[in-house]
Amino acid sequence: MPDMTAARNHMVKAQIARRGVRDPHVLDAMKKVPREAFVAPGFEEFAYEDGPLPIGHSQTISQTYIVALMIEAAEVRPGDRVLEIGAGSGYAAAVMGEIAEHVHAVERHEPLARTARENLTKAGARSVEIHVGDGTLGWPAGAPYDVILVAAGGPSVPEALKQQLKPGGRLVIPVGDENSMQNLRKVVRTGQDAWDEEDIGAVRFVPLIGAQGWTEDGSRSASSHVPGQNSGKTLPQMVADAAEPLPDIDDPGFGPFFSTAMEIAAWCCSAKRATAHRSSIAPAPRSPVTSSRTTASTSWPSRRTGPTQRQSTAMSITMPPANSKNRLSAGFPHGCGAIR
């Protein structure tokens, strides 16, 4: 692989630190992990663009910012034992592996799990194990954990994951219906049967499929009929919380930021038109969900057409809480995410 150290350092500075991620453990780890080792062959030159990229098996690698944001929220520290639900290409697990003592990552797609193992070996990642299984049940063999990170939205926090936390352990997971705004929730175990919960911000992820999550047809699994909660905020309030000013016109970040705003506006208009159209026809049967990845509408460079033409994938806007500073992000298919 070509040496992309300069591009990686610039990514950390411009795409992560500038957007408010301050944890030195996270910033240092992301400077070390070669993202180009976790994308599909032929896309290495685009590894440090600000967005998701294909990783094979109809999945994408997360935008680096959303990975950094979740790891920072989980407070991953040296010596920690970590569980990740939704390994994807292995990138987030590799980043956490640079900080923690050991990382177990569960992936429900066997082909993707094999690819993740190959990528981790290629990148020289350490202390990371990939398992195939139902992520809603965690990975009891490695429990208890200091940190559990989940890359898909459940109807509630799976009880199995809460029980696999150590006292003082942190769990970060999107909670809510995929068809409405979800909350990125942080759960801290404070006692044998006691947990503190905090909503970090509004997000949109595809369903967490499994025994304690959603079923393939989108209904709640029988073992997970726990009433969901919401932030109690209206959509205008969440938009106000997420708002941030445009950079100065001579700022290098102005162009991408302005393009992002235009893409969001276009996406919202398309969604409004689609909603109006659906309201005039009978509802169609819901298609089975085949991925536990976040969904949205964005693009990545095509190795056939070049960076000026785009292929589309799915996306969702993440609206941060009022006490965060200048954070606007989006979640994408596996483990994805991108500033729009």
Side-chain angles (χ1 to χ4, degrees), residues 50 136 148 188 196 228 295 304:
D50 190 12
T136 69
I148 300 177
V188 179
D196 284 342
T295 60
R304 294 182 180 177

Side-chain angles (χ1 to χ4, degrees), residues 176-223:
D177 191 324
E178 66 163 325
N179 294 317
S180 62
M181 197 61 68
Q182 302 161 336
N183 291 308
L184 186 61
R185 186 165 300 172
K186 179 177 180 179
V187 179
V188 179
R189 188 168 195 172
T190 59
Q192 183 63 31
D193 295 301
W195 294 266
D196 284 342
E197 297 190 359
E198 170 192 1
D199 285 337
I200 298 171
V203 293
R204 186 73 179 272
F205 283 78
V206 297
L208 175 65
I209 306 297
Q212 294 189 19
W214 301 101
T215 63
E216 289 283 359
D217 65 2
S219 61
R220 236 182 253 258
S221 295
S223 62

Side-chain angles (χ1 to χ4, degrees), residues 53-223:
L53 289 171
I55 58 176
H57 311 292
S58 301
Q59 304 297 317
T60 63
I61 188 174
S62 299
Q63 178 210 17
T64 53
Y65 171 70
I66 199 67
V67 173
L69 180 64
M70 293 183 74
I71 295 174
E72 181 181 56
E75 302 177 64
V76 179
R77 294 290 181 265
D80 281 353
R81 293 181 60 80
V82 176
L83 173 64
E84 182 192 21
I85 305 303
S89 69
Y91 177 68
V95 173
M96 290 188 288
E98 289 290 335
I99 306 171
E101 178 180 318
H102 197 86
V103 178
H104 290 276
V106 179
E107 172 55 54
R108 73 188 192 97
H109 297 285
E110 171 67 40
L112 200 51
R114 289 198 301 268
T115 298
R117 293 187 189 106
E118 294 169 1
N119 292 341
L120 289 163
T121 299
K122 180 169 55 176
R126 61 192 184 202
S127 305
V128 179
E129 292 184 56
I130 305 294
H131 311 284
V132 177
D134 179 352
T136 69
L137 301 179
W139 191 254
Y145 301 100
D146 299 282
V147 169
I148 300 177
L149 204 67
V150 185
S156 59
V157 181
E159 188 65 25
L161 298 185
K162 292 169 68 175
Q163 293 297 337
Q164 289 175 36
L165 280 176
K166 288 181 179 178
R170 291 83 62 197
L171 187 160
V172 175
I173 177 175
V175 175
D177 191 324
E178 66 163 325
N179 294 317
S180 62
M181 197 61 68
Q182 302 161 336
N183 291 308
L184 186 61
R185 186 165 300 172
K186 179 177 180 179
V187 179
V188 179
R189 188 168 195 172
T190 59
Q192 183 63 31
D193 295 301
W195 294 266
D196 284 342
E197 297 190 359
E198 170 192 1
D199 285 337
I200 298 171
V203 293
R204 186 73 179 272
F205 283 78
V206 297
L208 175 65
I209 306 297
Q212 294 189 19
W214 301 101
T215 63
E216 289 283 359
D217 65 2
S219 61
R220 236 182 253 258
S221 295
S223 62

Side-chain angles (χ1 to χ4, degrees), residues 277-285:
H277 174 70
R278 283 197 300 270
S279 67
S280 65
I281 61 175

